Amino acid sequence: MKILIADFDLFFKIGGGQTFYRQIIEKNPNIDFYYLIEQENINNPRPKNAHGIPYKPIYQIHDLNNYINVTPPRWVYRSFTLASNIANSVSGYHFDVVDAPDYEQYTLFLRPAFEYHQVKCTKVALSLHGKISTTLRLDWFGSTEVNIPLDLEEKMQFKTADIRYGISQSYIKEWRN
């Protein structure tokens, strides 16, 4: 089985999401996991079943400014561009599952980006770690301003995934409601 964790630098970054993904990889040595490398050294120590793929961004957000009438709304430019660059980085691969964290919103665009870049993917999973809109609402960054497009983008992402899972029962319940 081949699983792409659509996240970056899992064996370089220190964070809850990266720690969670590292534990999944370590507990499942019979599954091949792939992830994207942006800053992590390609020769970093990692388990034998963890395979880093260099991130190859070819799309830039500012490139979309000239195509206002044929592109998604501005509030999804970042997610659209990230999904496209992730797909470009894994062009030609085939994955049984692509797992993406909900603290990013690019899952919404992964399937069409994969199709465009000839990436085969059987299922898309959304890993429920914690939404950025909730973080903002809880004033983690000094702002309680609610970002309506971000809320909408998160809900759309949730609906497009084939599989949704999380380690927090209360967070899963919040999403179900």
Side-chain angles (χ1 to χ4, degrees), residues 62-69 77:
H62 62 78
D63 292 340
L64 298 173
N65 292 332
N66 299 323
Y67 301 100
I68 281 182
N69 293 327
Y77 277 15

Side-chain angles (χ1 to χ4, degrees), residues 6-8 79 82-83 86 100-101 104-110 157:
D7 204 356
F8 298 85
S79 300
L82 265 169
I86 289 169
E104 290 286 357
Q105 295 76 47
Y106 47 75
T107 306
L108 173 61
F109 296 106
L110 281 177
Q157 169 173 263

Side-chain angles (χ1 to χ4, degrees), residues 55-74:
Y55 181 58
K56 300 175 195 161
I58 60 170
Y59 303 105
Q60 302 296 320
I61 292 173
H62 62 78
D63 292 340
L64 298 173
N65 292 332
N66 299 323
Y67 301 100
I68 281 182
N69 293 327
V70 294
T71 57
R74 288 187 186 278

Side-chain angles (χ1 to χ4, degrees), residues 71-139:
T71 57
R74 288 187 186 278
W75 50 271
V76 294
Y77 277 15
R78 180 180 179 277
S79 300
F80 180 80
T81 304
L82 265 169
S84 299
N85 284 324
I86 289 169
N88 177 65
S89 301
V90 296
S91 182
Y93 278 80
H94 176 242
F95 300 105
D96 298 295
V97 177
V98 173
D99 185 318
D102 71 341
Y103 49 78
E104 290 286 357
Q105 295 76 47
Y106 47 75
T107 306
L108 173 61
F109 296 106
L110 281 177
R111 202 178 313 276
F114 285 163
E115 186 176 322
Y116 182 79
H117 285 277
Q118 300 170 350
V119 178
K120 302 273 191 248
C121 167
T122 307
K123 298 282 183 186
V124 174
L126 183 64
S127 183
L128 305 175
H129 295 259
K131 300 180 297 183
I132 296 300
S133 61
T134 302
T135 301
L136 295 173
R137 234 183 250 105
L138 295 173
D139 195 22

